[in-house]
Amino acid sequence: PEVCGAVPETHRFNCYPEIYVIVTRSLCESRGCCFIKMPLPPPGKGGVPWCFYPPNFPSYSLDRLNKTGLGFSGELTRKTKTYYPKDIERLELNVTFETNSRLHIKITDSTSPRYEVPIKVPQVTERATDPIYSVEFSKDPFGVIVRRNSNGLVLLNTTVAPLFFTDQFLQISTMLPSQYLYGLGEHQSGFLHNFEWNTLNFWARDIPPMENSNLYGVHPFYLVMEPGGISHGFFLLNSNAMEVALQPAPALTWRTIGGILDFYIFMGPDPSSVISQYLEVIGFPMMPPAWGLGFHLCRWGYGSSNATWHIVKTMRNYGIPQDAQWNDIDYMDGFRDFTFDSKKFATLPQLVKDLHNYGQHYVMILDPGISSTQQPGSYPPYDEGLKRDIFINTTDGKLLIGEVWPGKTAFPDFTNPETHQWWYESLTRLYQQVPFDGLWIVSHFFGGEGSMHSEPQNSLKHNAVLSGVKGGSLRVKTICASAKQKESVHYNVHSLYGLMEAKATASALKKLRGKRPFVISRSTFPSQGRYSGHWLGDNRSQWKDLYWSIPGILNFNMFGIPLVGADICGFSGSATEELCVRWMQLGAFYPFSRNHNTQGEQAQDPLAFGPLARSAMKEVLLIRYSLLPYLYTLFHRAHIYGDTVATPLFFQFPEDITTYSIDRQFLWGRSLLVTPVLEAGVDSVIGYFPKGVWYDFYMTVPLPSSHWSSKLTLGCGAVGTNAGKNCILVSETPSTTTWMSSGNPMQLIVALSENATANGDLFWDDGESLDTYETSNYSYMVFNVTQNTLTSTVLHVNVEATFIIVDKVTVFGVKRQPSKVTVNGKEASFSYLPNQVLAVSNLYLKLSDGFSISWI
Ligand SMILES: *[C@@H]1O[C@H](CO)[C@@H](O)[C@H](O)[C@H]1NC(C)=O
Ligand SMILES: *[C@@H]1O[C@H](CO)[C@@H](O)[C@H](O)[C@H]1NC(C)=O
Ligand SMILES: *[C@@H]1O[C@H](CO)[C@@H](O)[C@H](O)[C@H]1NC(C)=O
Ligand SMILES: *[C@@H]1O[C@H](CO)[C@@H](O)[C@H](O)[C@H]1NC(C)=O
Ligand SMILES: *[C@@H]1O[C@H](CO)[C@@H](O)[C@H](O)[C@H]1NC(C)=O
Ligand SMILES: *[C@@H]1O[C@H](CO)[C@@H](O)[C@H](O)[C@H]1NC(C)=O
Ligand SMILES: CC(=O)N[C@H]1CO[C@H](CO)[C@@H](O)[C@@H]1O
């Protein structure tokens, strides 16, 4: 009727989200909703919902609201049942003013406990003293409104659509202050999300990345740029299958099929602060070992340890940097975990020893499926696992058997602490033969549909379709949702599998090696950055995948997993020489840099093509290696402050709206801008350079011989509060491993801001010991330029820094040729290059002593 027609199209909230149903007037009206038929959208696209909530659709009312020591508590009740089963009629609301920039809201069943995600979040005991936000409530229908105090902007308004809280369908909607929304992973999409009735699904899935599908990881977090260059973030702490519907109002709807509504809002106000506030809740990322930041080489199908070894030796012969050699599942004996093929990979132990002799490292793959078909007594991981009850059970409490690479398999239940001990012991047996340094894990690779047991026809299933998890129901390529795990039914913990497995793996590596663990996982969940990095999955050797990798790495930096990269040159398909060179030139700037290929395709390692390609790849890797002190410091900052390593341009230029959609360029930290070539047949690239000063990095280092190079610029001239921040980079003379490079002389690269200022820092330690920051076994210096003087101030020092000298300082943006340069008060020779570059070379400054350099 009239109320229906009065709802603007953009504000129609879908009352019939089931994807496999064509909604009719009678179906819609049976739900008490408005029905207005609209033109069908183009195939694969969403359109205005035909069935939507009228303004007076029954929701909860706020019956009681009390001020508490931390914020508010209240009770919500629903008097009218919804059209889904098992409404929870009384809900408890808790609103906590956790910090001045972080608000926490939790809505749950007030009478019986429900499943909650078992990750550790901060417990506050005092209310924030001076919050930069305020909260109001709408009583009937219930809604929460959150405002930013400085300008009154409404960041959250949940009164726009009814709240649902049934046993297996929870829904909450909000208006958004803009369509500049980022995050919501893991999906293959451009950097910015499409608001034209776009639905994104969340349910960890083993599937090669494709558009419009839920992928390996689940990250229910978004960041929004508000008008005026400020931003906020939102995190829904829930691990059930869910979806987010975006519509042009702009508005957003969360739908989840279990758990509770537990969410955090982060007020920034700048985007970098939003991320560090988010990471304060889920945990800051681990500090990776230095070697993890070197170049990694892998492929599926080397076929033997000798063939693998041959590659390593040839890489060395050509002087191409390489820190780690990897093997995929072909090293295993019958694809069984914790084994290696005693014929084809007979020399694996020697290969690993040889890598170690050269300061290189070895990483191997592990699957979660444990073969269940070996003779009893011949495969301890299974026998032991059975004995210790660490496998996942079926609904009726029997051992659950699925199928993966080795055939029939049981699956370890990583929600059980006992499983972590069993995983460690199983790894120990392998480690005694093959002393690997790192592990990469894939989760949820379960061949076929569900487990070998049929899924019971119970209510767990019905909402799977409702949630519209794409590509089929919840059971595609995984075990059935009703399977039993120690923590809870698989239905609740499915998307946590990768997180728990990563946690067990990192802990095992720590015990085995006594050093920082190196784990790369395909499946991820919030807080996983504490244990592992991530690779972006089974992409293809195509130009468009080269581009997709940039939004991918930027998203994972926002998700708190900065150690991330895509398979360089593409996993499936064969890369052409040109594509592979371009990909190496981009991949040399992935925080995690690994070239990886599938079996049966042409080789794509740096040795696979002609001499020109080989030298182009070597040159760009040497640039990466020269910048390792800077990269390492960025990881330290991520670990301590929650900074991003690969940073979107708009983080540094939030006032410049043009940067909001840039996903073909990115920064390392705040100042080094990478502008890669992403297209075939060109030898130049057009980038966007926001207002400020930009310096060509190649002005002082030799330009790579071929014109095949990513453009590198130092953008330290950002205007406003970011000016000059982190604009002093430390580089080192590169060798072919991070270990060999680590004692080499260092150089300071200074990029002056418009006001001739700059600052930066360096974190340095032995690169692999555990908790060096936490145990104060590190060196840390800060660098400053003001009034034509560069100062190095040593704030902390350990033995490492005493071996290292600084042999060169380059200053970009010195406007006039100086008449004199002094180093620690003594006159020194210098050169002044065209383009305003001052270089002071042949220095012999101890890194562990402070120093100053002035020019007049
Ligand atoms: C919140 O949304 C409701 C429904 O659209 C609207 O009537 C109300 O004005 C909004 N409140 C604020 C503070 O924006
Ligand atoms: C691998 O190399 C070793 C030593 O060079 C050699 O003895 C062995 O036969 C080789 N193995 C295979 C399977 O080719
Ligand atoms: C699986 O079943 C076994 C045998 O009944 C039992 O001991 C074990 O605790 C069960 N494990 C889970 C995760 O339910
Ligand atoms: C740089 O100088 C300009 C003009 O002198 C001034 O407006 C601006 O605030 C300065 N920026 C910083 C970061 O000092
Ligand atoms: C500190 O680290 C150095 C290597 O950087 C190591 O040799 C030394 O034992 C460590 N000291 C402590 C107290 O852990
Ligand atoms: C760096 O320079 C800034 C601005 O002059 C100053 O506030 C700061 O204290 C300096 N830091 C160090 C470590 O010298
Ligand atoms: C087609 C395809 O599989 N593309 C994926 C390759 O990897 C990138 C990240 O590098 C994904 O975002 C793509 O979806």
Side-chain angles (χ1 to χ4, degrees):
E2 264 165 55
V3 289
C4 295
V7 179
E9 286 178 14
T10 55
H11 286 61
R12 293 182 183 169
F13 286 84
N14 197 352
C15 170
Y16 221 107
E18 288 85 341
I19 57 169
Y20 298 119
V21 178
I22 307 270
V23 62
T24 61
R25 177 175 295 276
S26 68
L27 279 174
C28 178
E29 288 177 354
S30 72
R31 292 187 169 186
C33 285
C34 295
F35 186 82
I36 298 179
K37 218 166 166 165
M38 300 293 293
L40 279 172
K45 298 265 186 288
V48 182
W50 294 6
C51 181
F52 55 94
Y53 302 111
N56 58 352
F57 191 90
S59 183
Y60 287 84
S61 60
L62 178 61
D63 286 355
R64 178 176 59 72
L65 185 70
N66 300 330
K67 260 194 130 120
T68 65
L70 298 174
F72 298 99
S73 74
E75 189 170 73
L76 313 179
T77 55
R78 171 178 271 290
K79 284 155 199 101
T80 319
K81 284 199 184 318
T82 66
Y83 43 86
Y84 291 129
K86 297 197 199 160
D87 279 296
I88 294 168
E89 280 152 23
R90 296 156 73 87
L91 301 175
E92 182 186 316
L93 166 74
N94 273 299
V95 177
T96 313
F97 291 62
E98 294 201 342
T99 71
N100 290 339
S101 47
R102 181 173 90 224
L103 175 66
H104 183 190
I105 299 179
K106 196 165 172 175
I107 303 173
T108 186
D109 188 334
S110 63
T111 47
S112 48
R114 290 177 60 81
Y115 169 74
E116 294 187 30
V117 184
I119 69 173
K120 208 170 117 231
V121 293
Q123 300 299 318
V124 298
T125 51
E126 271 171 64
R127 188 187 201 273
T129 49
D130 202 7
I132 61 171
Y133 54 87
S134 56
V135 183
E136 297 145 43
F137 302 93
S138 151
K139 288 211 146 127
D140 195 7
F142 163 74
V144 194
I145 290 138
V146 177
R147 280 178 206 272
R148 185 181 289 288
N149 288 344
S150 61
N151 57 7
L153 189 71
V154 175
L155 307 182
L156 187 83
N157 179 357
T158 71
T159 55
V160 294
L163 172 68
F164 277 67
F165 205 124
T166 77
D167 188 32
Q168 288 181 276
F169 184 85
L170 295 79
Q171 175 173 280
I172 191 165
S173 302
T174 180
M175 296 296 287
L176 293 169
S178 93
Q179 292 195 6
Y180 292 111
L181 179 135
Y182 308 83
L184 297 178
E186 183 176 8
H187 294 99
Q188 176 180 320
S189 56
F191 198 30
L192 278 167
H193 288 286
N194 163 17
F195 272 78
E196 287 305 308
W197 308 101
N198 178 22
T199 303
L200 299 158
N201 302 99
F202 300 75
W203 176 252
R205 169 147 301 161
D206 170 21
I207 193 170
M210 56 174 82
E211 262 172 290
N212 300 320
S213 174
N214 42 308
L215 304 180
Y216 313 104
V218 165
H219 295 274
F221 166 80
Y222 66 72
L223 180 148
V224 171
M225 288 306 289
E226 303 160 25
I230 51 183
S231 61
H232 71 275
F234 183 105
F235 171 47
L236 176 63
L237 177 53
N238 180 294
S239 61
N240 287 92
M242 60 171 107
E243 66 183 20
V244 166
L246 300 172
Q247 65 191 74
L252 177 152
T253 298
W254 293 96
R255 301 188 188 110
T256 177
I257 61 174
I260 63 169
L261 294 175
D262 187 1
F263 52 88
Y264 293 85
I265 305 175
F266 312 101
M267 311 290 163
D270 61 289
S272 314
S273 307
V274 169
I275 299 305
S276 61
Q277 289 156 11
Y278 172 41
L279 302 194
E280 272 169 29
V281 170
I282 60 167
F284 289 157
M286 46 97 194
M287 182 69 196
W291 66 266
L293 306 184
F295 177 63
H296 302 254
L297 190 55
C298 184
R299 82 164 295 168
W300 179 14
Y302 285 120
S304 69
S305 45
N306 283 6
T308 312
W309 204 341
H310 176 73
I311 289 278
V312 172
K313 288 176 186 162
T314 317
M315 289 284 284
R316 285 181 199 145
N317 288 345
Y318 282 107
I320 302 172
Q322 181 183 6
D323 263 76
Q325 180 59 50
W326 298 36
N327 276 119
D328 205 318
I329 52 174
D330 45 325
Y331 79 79
M332 295 180 186
D333 180 16
F335 299 121
R336 285 185 294 280
D337 273 356
F338 316 114
T339 67
F340 68 97
D341 186 320
S342 61
K343 291 196 188 76
K344 296 195 185 102
F345 282 79
T347 55
L348 189 55
Q350 291 92 307
L351 161 59
V352 174
K353 195 164 170 232
D354 178 63
L355 286 166
H356 291 169
N357 287 342
Y358 281 84
Q360 293 174 306
H361 295 82
Y362 182 66
V363 179
M364 56 210 310
I365 195 171
L366 275 184
D367 284 315
I370 301 299
S371 171
S372 61
T373 52
Q374 304 308 298
Q375 286 296 325
S378 67
Y379 186 53
Y382 181 68
D383 301 337
E384 280 292 305
L386 273 187
K387 213 185 289 166
R388 295 162 77 157
D389 263 341
I390 54 87
F391 294 121
I392 297 178
N393 285 345
T394 62
T395 321
D396 42 12
K398 297 203 190 76
L399 181 68
L400 183 148
I401 299 295
E403 195 161 358
V404 205
W405 295 106
K408 302 229 183 331
T409 54
F411 297 102
D413 172 13
F414 289 103
T415 69
N416 180 355
E418 183 68 16
T419 310
H420 292 218
Q421 180 63 21
W422 161 86
W423 190 247
Y424 162 67
E425 286 166 20
S426 304
L427 279 168
T428 305
R429 280 191 290 270
L430 177 61
Y431 186 79
Q432 281 159 359
Q433 301 172 74
V434 183
F436 50 82
D437 302 292
L439 293 164
W440 56 309
I441 52 176
V442 289
S443 308
H444 302 120
F445 191 95
F446 305 89
E449 281 253 328
S451 70
M452 305 296 285
H453 302 270
S454 66
E455 188 164 14
Q457 295 297 312
N458 68 11
S459 62
L460 285 176
K461 227 179 125 175
H462 106 128
N463 274 316
V465 176
L466 180 64
S467 89
V469 169
K470 303 236 171 79
S473 72
L474 296 184
R475 54 185 299 206
V476 170
K477 281 200 150 193
T478 185
I479 57 177
C480 50
S482 57
K484 282 190 178 152
Q485 293 191 239
K486 176 129 182 152
E487 173 80 21
S488 183
V489 65
H490 189 70
Y491 182 83
N492 290 325
V493 297
H494 167 85
S495 292
L496 302 174
Y497 199 94
L499 169 66
M500 305 281 188
E501 186 185 359
K503 195 173 170 181
T505 309
S507 142
L509 272 168
K510 217 162 150 173
K511 280 198 247 174
L512 284 170
R513 299 178 69 248
K515 291 176 184 163
R516 268 174 243 168
F518 179 83
V519 180
I520 296 292
S521 172
R522 194 165 61 180
S523 185
T524 58
F525 192 81
S527 89
Q528 189 144 348
R530 294 165 61 188
Y531 314 107
S532 84
H534 173 61
W535 95 99
L536 292 165
D538 296 345
N539 62 1
R540 285 193 276 268
S541 304
Q542 302 176 33
W543 287 92
K544 67 177 166 59
D545 289 60
L546 175 65
Y547 152 68
W548 282 119
S549 69
I550 301 179
I553 63 166
L554 293 178
N555 277 322
F556 275 88
N557 273 265
M558 291 195 256
F559 299 150
I561 309 179
L563 187 65
V564 57
D567 284 348
I568 296 173
C569 300
F571 177 69
S572 55
S574 285
T576 61
E577 178 174 21
E578 185 190 6
L579 173 63
C580 197
V581 170
R582 290 299 184 213
W583 211 322
M584 285 291 295
Q585 288 172 339
L586 169 58
F589 297 97
Y590 291 155
F592 163 58
S593 185
R594 179 185 71 160
N595 178 317
H596 179 42
N597 195 1
T598 189
Q599 65 174 354
E601 298 290 348
Q602 279 163 38
Q604 60 181 35
D605 54 73
L607 310 162
F609 303 99
L612 202 56
R614 191 172 60 229
S615 62
M617 292 179 184
K618 177 175 168 177
E619 275 168 348
V620 74
L621 287 176
L622 285 169
I623 289 170
R624 178 186 182 87
Y625 275 61
S626 74
L627 289 168
L628 277 166
Y630 178 58
L631 183 61
Y632 195 63
T633 304
L634 294 179
F635 271 95
H636 167 72
R637 298 187 62 89
H639 177 57
I640 302 304
Y641 307 114
D643 284 4
T644 48
V645 173
T647 309
L649 222 61
F650 76 86
F651 274 43
Q652 181 73 344
F653 300 91
E655 296 89 5
D656 179 354
I657 211 165
T658 309
T659 61
Y660 291 11
S661 56
I662 291 182
D663 60 3
R664 298 179 151 255
Q665 295 174 277
F666 60 97
L667 295 157
W668 258 18
R670 287 175 176 271
S671 47
L672 183 69
L673 179 62
V674 183
T675 307
V677 176
L678 301 171
E679 280 160 43
V682 299
D683 63 5
S684 65
V685 52
I686 295 170
Y688 180 72
F689 299 88
K691 204 169 145 202
V693 196
W694 294 92
Y695 304 105
D696 183 353
F697 180 82
Y698 294 115
M699 239 159 13
T700 61
V701 300
L703 189 66
S705 51
S706 59
H707 283 278
W708 286 7
S709 186
S710 294
K711 200 171 170 57
L712 285 187
T713 34
L714 295 169
C716 290
V719 281
T721 50
N722 286 337
K725 261 197 195 162
N726 298 110
C727 285
I728 302 179
L729 278 57
V730 182
S731 65
E732 69 190 350
T733 306
S735 299
T736 53
T737 63
T738 53
W739 182 76
M740 290 280 288
S741 306
S742 65
N744 288 353
M746 289 188 180
Q747 302 83 32
L748 264 55
I749 301 169
V750 180
L752 295 177
S753 73
E754 244 163 10
N755 297 5
T757 58
N759 66 37
D761 56 355
L762 172 71
F763 176 85
W764 204 243
D765 60 13
D766 74 355
E768 59 177 7
S769 291
L770 292 166
D771 303 325
T772 53
Y773 177 73
E774 293 75 3
T775 59
S776 289
N777 200 354
Y778 65 93
S779 295
Y780 185 68
M781 356 266 154
V782 294
F783 311 105
N784 232 359
V785 176
T786 48
Q787 298 174 334
N788 297 349
T789 299
L790 164 70
T791 316
S792 165
T793 311
V794 179
L795 297 185
H796 206 279
V797 72
N798 78 332
V799 60
E800 241 66 54
T802 59
F803 303 131
I804 293 169
I805 61 152
V806 174
D807 68 354
K808 185 174 178 187
V809 171
T810 307
V811 188
F812 289 87
V814 175
K815 299 226 167 75
R816 267 180 291 106
Q817 167 142 16
S819 53
K820 187 171 142 187
V821 169
T822 57
V823 176
N824 289 333
K826 291 203 193 86
E827 194 161 344
S829 63
F830 63 93
S831 63
Y832 186 75
L833 313 176
N835 304 321
Q836 309 180 343
V837 183
L838 168 68
V840 189
S841 310
N842 303 319
L843 294 169
Y844 200 84
L845 297 165
K846 268 175 94 171
L847 183 63
S848 54
D849 297 341
F851 54 83
S852 74
I853 299 179
S854 302
W855 53 95
I856 36 176

